[in-house]
Amino acid sequence: MSEHNLEDFIRQHRAGFEEQGPGAHVWKSLERQLKAQHSPSPKVVQMFKRHWIKAAVVLVLVVNSVMIYQFLQFKKQQQDLGAISPELQEAKQYYTTQIEQKLEDIHRYSAAELGLDSAARKELELRNDTYRMLEKELQANPGNERIRSAMIRYYQMKLDLLDKILEELREKQPATKTFKQHEREI
């Protein structure tokens, strides 16, 4: 077929090529179906909004919880005696070991030999009400030198008191018993 024949064929059958397609109502129906498939329904959009709000609330709560926890940990570290005053921490360690050693020696004696009631024994312990009060004051006022010196004086006085009690107890004991006790310690 030549070009000329093709043109003649197209001219003769032009009416067949220009047939009417589907009507306008068919195209509109197809467009509605396509829009319905691609656009989410209002219910789905509302569900997404509700879930996003819940997720945001949970996220805010988690972040706030972490921040509060970190703040409390930081505050606790600040209030630690070692963080407030390293020198006082060293003094505390020294006096605490000395006092605990003296208390151990005192507890080796029977209650009858000590002659102390339960309230007096409780007062001999290292961490009594006075000690707790001084610690609270030091935490509230970490830079106060008077409180620091009061803590050290407390340790010294407690140590002196325990030394005097032990000295009196040893004087009451016969020399042989004291000698045997020293042998056990060695």
Side-chain angles (χ1 to χ4, degrees), residues 53-69:
I53 290 172
K54 288 177 185 176
V57 167
V58 168
L59 182 66
V60 167
L61 288 174
V62 167
V63 168
N64 282 341
S65 298
V66 169
M67 296 284 287
I68 289 171
Y69 176 76

Side-chain angles (χ1 to χ4, degrees), residues 39-101:
S39 66
S41 68
K43 289 181 182 179
V44 172
V45 171
Q46 288 176 357
M47 275 188 5
F48 281 136
K49 284 181 182 177
R50 272 189 273 151
H51 290 299
W52 282 108
I53 290 172
K54 288 177 185 176
V57 167
V58 168
L59 182 66
V60 167
L61 288 174
V62 167
V63 168
N64 282 341
S65 298
V66 169
M67 296 284 287
I68 289 171
Y69 176 76
Q70 287 179 343
F71 174 76
L72 291 175
Q73 290 299 322
F74 177 74
K75 194 78 166 165
K76 186 177 178 183
Q77 284 176 347
Q78 274 187 332
Q79 290 180 351
D80 187 356
L81 190 57
I84 294 172
S85 174
E87 304 86 27
L88 193 57
Q89 180 66 23
E90 289 176 24
K92 177 184 176 183
Q93 285 177 326
Y94 170 75
Y95 285 115
T96 300
T97 55
Q98 293 293 318
I99 291 170
E100 286 175 354
Q101 183 182 7

Side-chain angles (χ1 to χ4, degrees), residues 167-182:
E167 187 178 311
E168 286 181 19
L169 286 172
R170 287 182 185 139
E171 286 176 3
K172 288 180 183 178
Q173 296 295 320
T176 57
K177 191 170 186 180
T178 308
F179 180 72
K180 287 180 183 178
Q181 186 179 11
H182 289 296

Side-chain angles (χ1 to χ4, degrees), residues 11-25:
R11 277 188 218 138
Q12 288 173 1
H13 295 91
R14 176 166 270 190
F17 287 123
E18 294 181 2
E19 279 184 20
Q20 289 285 333
H25 70 284

Side-chain angles (χ1 to χ4, degrees), residues 130-160:
T130 307
Y131 179 84
R132 287 186 194 100
M133 182 192 69
L134 286 171
E135 271 192 335
K136 284 180 185 176
E137 286 296 319
L138 186 63
Q139 288 172 355
N141 304 305
N144 193 333
E145 204 54 45
R146 289 175 48 200
I147 297 173
R148 289 180 186 186
S149 62
M151 283 287 279
I152 291 173
R153 267 187 277 130
Y154 169 79
Y155 289 131
Q156 291 170 343
M157 288 173 49
K158 180 69 79 170
L159 197 56
D160 288 342

